Amino acid sequence: RLTPAMETVLYRVVQEALTNVARHAQASTVRIRLERKDGMATALIEDDGVGFDAGEPTGPGGPQRGAGLLGIRERLSSHGGTLRIESRPQSGTRLILKIPLAQET
C-alpha cells in the first residue's frame, strides 16, 4: 500500500483532472489507469472530449484557463513527480502523471 501522503497526492490530482473533464471536455468517456511499477506510481487519465491546444496554456479561455492543470503540475512537482499533457482540438486529452515511490517511508 502507498503511504497516506502519496495516496492523498494521487487522489487529489486525479480528482482535479476529473473536475477539468467535467467542466471543459464535453467528453462522453473518461478512462483512468493507475499503475505501480519500477518505483513509480503512474496515472493515465484519458478522455474523448473536445481537447485543446496543449501548446497554448492560456488559450481562448483567458488567463484562468489551465489553472487546474497548473495545480496538478505543482502538486506533483512538490513530490518529485511530473505531468505530461497530450491534447489537440477535437481529439480529446491524455494526462500522464508520474510520481516516484522512493519517498515512501
Side-chain angles (χ1 to χ4, degrees):
R1 182 164 183 166
L2 301 176
T3 65
M6 190 68 63
E7 288 177 349
T8 300
V9 168
L10 287 171
Y11 176 82
R12 294 292 182 207
V13 296
V14 170
Q15 180 183 42
E16 181 61 34
L18 292 175
T19 297
N20 283 349
V21 171
R23 286 184 181 161
H24 306 293
Q26 301 173 23
S28 60
T29 304
V30 179
R31 288 182 287 217
I32 301 171
R33 180 176 167 188
L34 298 172
E35 184 175 84
R36 183 178 176 162
K37 183 177 170 184
D38 298 329
M40 298 291 283
T42 302
L44 172 70
I45 301 127
E46 186 173 37
D47 70 61
D48 64 354
V50 297
F52 62 96
D53 183 347
E56 293 183 21
T58 56
Q64 291 301 313
R65 181 167 179 242
L69 293 174
L70 179 62
I72 290 171
R73 190 179 305 275
E74 287 175 353
R75 188 180 294 262
L76 289 170
S77 179
S78 71
H79 289 84
T82 60
L83 169 65
R84 189 169 86 214
I85 303 166
E86 299 173 356
S87 187
R88 291 186 324 223
Q90 307 310 312
S91 296
T93 300
R94 175 184 294 158
L95 302 180
I96 300 131
L97 305 85
K98 293 187 178 233
I99 190 165
L101 297 173
Q103 294 182 2
E104 291 185 273
T105 57

